[in-house]
Structures are given as structure tokens and as C-alpha cells.
Amino acid sequence: MARSHSCCGSVVSLCTLHIFLTTSGWVELQESPSQSPPIFVFAQDYLEKFYQLPRNRFQSERKNSTSVIMEKLREMQRFFGLNETGKPNQETLEMMQKPRCGVPDSGDFMLTPGNPKWKQTNLTYRIIKYTPQLSEANVETAIQKAFQVWSNVSPLTFTKVSQGEVDIRISFVQGDHGDNSPFDGPNGILAHAFQPGQGIGGDVHFDAEETWTENSSNYNLFLVAAHEVGHSLGLSHSTDPGALMYPNYVFHDPSTYTLPQDDINGIQTIYGKSVGISGMFFAVLSMVVEVGGYPEVCLGSVKGGRCTLQSNTQWGHH
Ligand SMILES: [Ca+2]
Ligand SMILES: [Zn+2]
Ligand SMILES: [Zn+2]
């Protein structure tokens, strides 16, 4: 895994801060003058965003919730496979600095509880708002490839629509954009997406203040989009650092990217496997019945239940 482990990360530089663990388990900070925000605010903010630590409206309330914070810290450390100390030690703070998805690692995300899924397998999407950093064609290619990662291993199909109502709306937005989950400027939270459902359900938002790329520099749009589409389809975060649904951004070469087994298992648990050979058989049968003749034999590879025919026409399953 090509995971980056830089100490002086991009969100908040913690390297020059000295941390002393107190007997109560929380921290006292010895800050160099320009360091802001302090670590405990940073750590609490992280736990509030991603581990459902209740938000305290007043600074004074924070003092009373040390045990709650420690429990949430342990939960976070458990998720990332760190030592479950309940204390914001160096490795914990470094993990919190990594750029990541805005969807929480535990509990329900904004919408309906349970395990929502799309009832139909033929889904539509629309790119509502583009980023000026990439050409529209490049954005469309990245998004299309992101959907393909999932359609390759499931019965799902995705069709791009340019007008009207669709299942999955995609947009680049910044700051507070009306869904109670504001973006935070460059780095930090890169994007988020909603579970399957009506209205905002399934929608994908990218932080428009990130630098979006089609290469290895931060942040590769295809990789982030493929992750977010996983949420749009009903998947939550994986603790497997190799999985696409791992919450932190990890670069992989997009040109050779294949979906890790953990994610394949996840999507197939919800929607079943791609229709594959047996589905092809029935598709051929129905085609014979329909046109009263024999179709061309599938010579190409069967990908995502699709067969590329000799005549170069594609057909799938229903
Ligand atoms: Ca951001
Ligand atoms: Zn995510
Ligand atoms: Zn949003």
C-alpha cells in the first residue's frame, strides 16, 4: 500500500507542539505562539465530525466530557488499528491529519438509518456543477471511470443524463452548501456522498476548493469519485487500509486500478454479483426469440455482465 505518512501534514501542523498526558488522560498543551487551533480543539472537532461526539456549544461544557471523549478516541483508534489508549497520542493525531472523506466512520450519515439500497439496478447520474480546474471532458471521464469500477463487479449500470431528474447528482461546491456538512477549504475533507434514497440521496459533493487532478498529485478525482460512489450505492467505510472504502485518501495508479476484494464483497453483499455467464445465456436466448435468429457469439471478455460483440455493439443484462 502506498500510504503516505508525513508528520507535518496539511491540515494542522502538530509537529512543533509538545504534548503532555495528564493523569486524567486528557492533554495539556504547550503551544508555540503561532500554533492554532490547539490540539484538543482539533481532536474534538475530528471526533465530532466523524465519530458522533456530541457538539458542545460552550467551551465550559467540554471539561465535563473527558470520559466521553476518551471513549470516542478509543473508537477512532480501534477503527484505524491504532493502540486503544483513549489518549490523543502522536500516532492518533497524525491519523487525524490525513485528508479524507467527510462521511463519518460510525453510525448513520445524515439520512435514513438501516441499510438503504437502490431498488433498481439501472441508475442515472448527472454532473450539475463542474470544477474549473479540469476540462468538462476530463471530469466526465473520471466520473464515468469511477462508476465503471462498481458496474464491473455488480449488476448495476450507470447512465449519464444531462437534463432533468436523476438518481445521483454530482457537484463541486465549497464551504457551507446547504446540507449541514460544510466543506473546509483546501485539504481536510475532500468530498462526501449520501446513501441511496430520494432527493439528496445518492448525491456526491466534491470540495471545490481542492486541487483536482487526473494524475498522482493531490487529489486524483477518479479515486475520490470512485470512493464516494461507493457511499451513493450504500457502502460505509472500511477499516481495511487497502480498501477503496477506507476513509483516508490513498493514491493508486488510476490506469491500472482494480477494485479491491473488500469492496467487491461489500457491493455484492448489497446487489449480488454481476450477471456474468448465466445472465449472458438468458440474454442470448431472449435475443434469439426477439429477432428470430442467432446472435453473434461473445468473443470479448464479459465485464460487469456486458459482452463486447464482434460487431462492436454492447449489450448487457436486465
Ligand atoms: Ca477540504
Ligand atoms: Zn467515505
Ligand atoms: Zn454536501
Side-chain angles (χ1 to χ4, degrees):
M1 291 291 41
R3 293 175 60 188
S4 64
H5 289 276
S6 71
C7 172
C8 290
S10 42
V11 183
V12 178
S13 178
L14 302 168
C15 303
T16 56
L17 289 174
H18 305 284
I19 305 163
F20 299 97
L21 297 176
T22 63
T23 48
S24 70
W26 196 228
V27 289
E28 287 175 355
L29 306 172
Q30 186 178 320
E31 261 181 287
S32 47
S34 62
Q35 294 298 329
S36 172
I39 283 177
F40 78 96
V41 174
F42 172 70
Q44 277 194 303
D45 186 55
Y46 187 97
L47 296 172
E48 285 170 359
K49 278 180 184 154
F50 307 117
Y51 286 84
Q52 298 184 313
L53 176 68
R55 284 184 190 279
N56 291 327
R57 291 175 59 198
F58 305 105
Q59 200 69 23
S60 58
E61 290 178 21
R62 291 178 185 268
K63 288 175 186 166
N64 301 323
S65 54
T66 303
S67 62
V68 178
I69 293 166
M70 287 181 70
E71 188 43 51
K72 289 292 177 186
L73 265 173
R74 273 193 211 97
E75 193 183 329
M76 179 265 176
Q77 288 163 334
R78 191 157 52 241
F79 186 97
F80 286 99
L82 306 174
N83 289 327
E84 292 178 38
T85 60
K87 295 168 186 174
N89 53 16
Q90 187 74 14
E91 65 170 0
T92 304
L93 292 167
E94 281 179 22
M95 191 60 84
M96 287 178 170
Q97 286 183 299
K98 293 184 187 297
R100 57 163 292 158
C101 171
V103 176
D105 299 331
S106 64
D108 306 316
F109 177 54
M110 303 182 206
L111 279 174
T112 42
N115 298 302
K117 59 175 275 187
W118 297 103
K119 293 184 182 73
Q120 74 277 29
T121 55
N122 52 328
L123 299 168
T124 54
Y125 71 93
R126 184 179 154 191
I127 304 171
I128 306 284
K129 202 163 180 288
Y130 287 80
T131 168
Q133 298 162 9
L134 291 170
S135 71
E136 291 195 2
N138 282 348
V139 171
E140 284 165 14
T141 302
I143 300 295
Q144 189 247 325
K145 272 186 65 183
F147 280 114
Q148 203 172 15
V149 160
W150 298 104
S151 62
N152 279 346
V153 297
S154 72
L156 300 168
T157 64
F158 303 98
T159 308
K160 182 175 171 293
V161 175
S162 48
Q163 289 296 321
E165 288 296 305
V166 292
D167 300 308
I168 297 168
R169 286 175 299 185
I170 297 163
S171 49
F172 292 80
V173 289
Q174 69 182 71
D176 194 345
H177 53 279
D179 59 11
N180 284 324
S181 300
F183 283 135
D184 52 3
N187 304 307
I189 296 172
L190 307 179
H192 56 219
F194 295 82
Q195 293 175 332
Q198 297 297 306
I200 204 169
D203 289 4
V204 178
H205 298 160
F206 297 98
D207 189 342
E209 292 187 86
E210 307 301 343
T211 304
W212 295 107
T213 76
E214 44 178 354
N215 52 46
S216 62
S217 56
N218 290 348
Y219 294 101
N220 183 279
L221 178 59
F222 155 73
L223 291 172
V224 176
H227 173 103
E228 297 306 331
V229 167
H231 290 308
S232 300
L233 302 177
L235 292 176
S236 51
H237 282 151
S238 169
T239 57
D240 179 352
L244 178 60
M245 294 314 292
Y246 189 65
N248 294 354
Y249 177 83
V250 182
F251 179 75
H252 300 277
D253 186 352
S255 64
T256 56
Y257 191 80
T258 55
L259 193 62
Q261 194 60 45
D262 185 63
D263 306 287
I264 294 175
N265 295 345
I267 198 70
Q268 292 186 346
T269 299
I270 304 178
Y271 297 101
K273 298 184 177 185
S274 50
V275 176
I277 300 300
S278 62
M280 293 300 301
F281 176 73
F282 288 110
V284 168
L285 263 188
S286 63
M287 197 166 164
V288 170
V289 170
E290 214 170 295
V291 301
Y294 293 96
E296 294 165 274
V297 176
C298 179
L299 296 176
S301 57
V302 180
K303 275 188 172 180
R306 285 179 185 279
C307 171
T308 304
L309 300 176
Q310 269 182 306
S311 59
N312 217 25
T313 52
Q314 280 202 338
W315 50 283
H317 47 78
H318 296 281

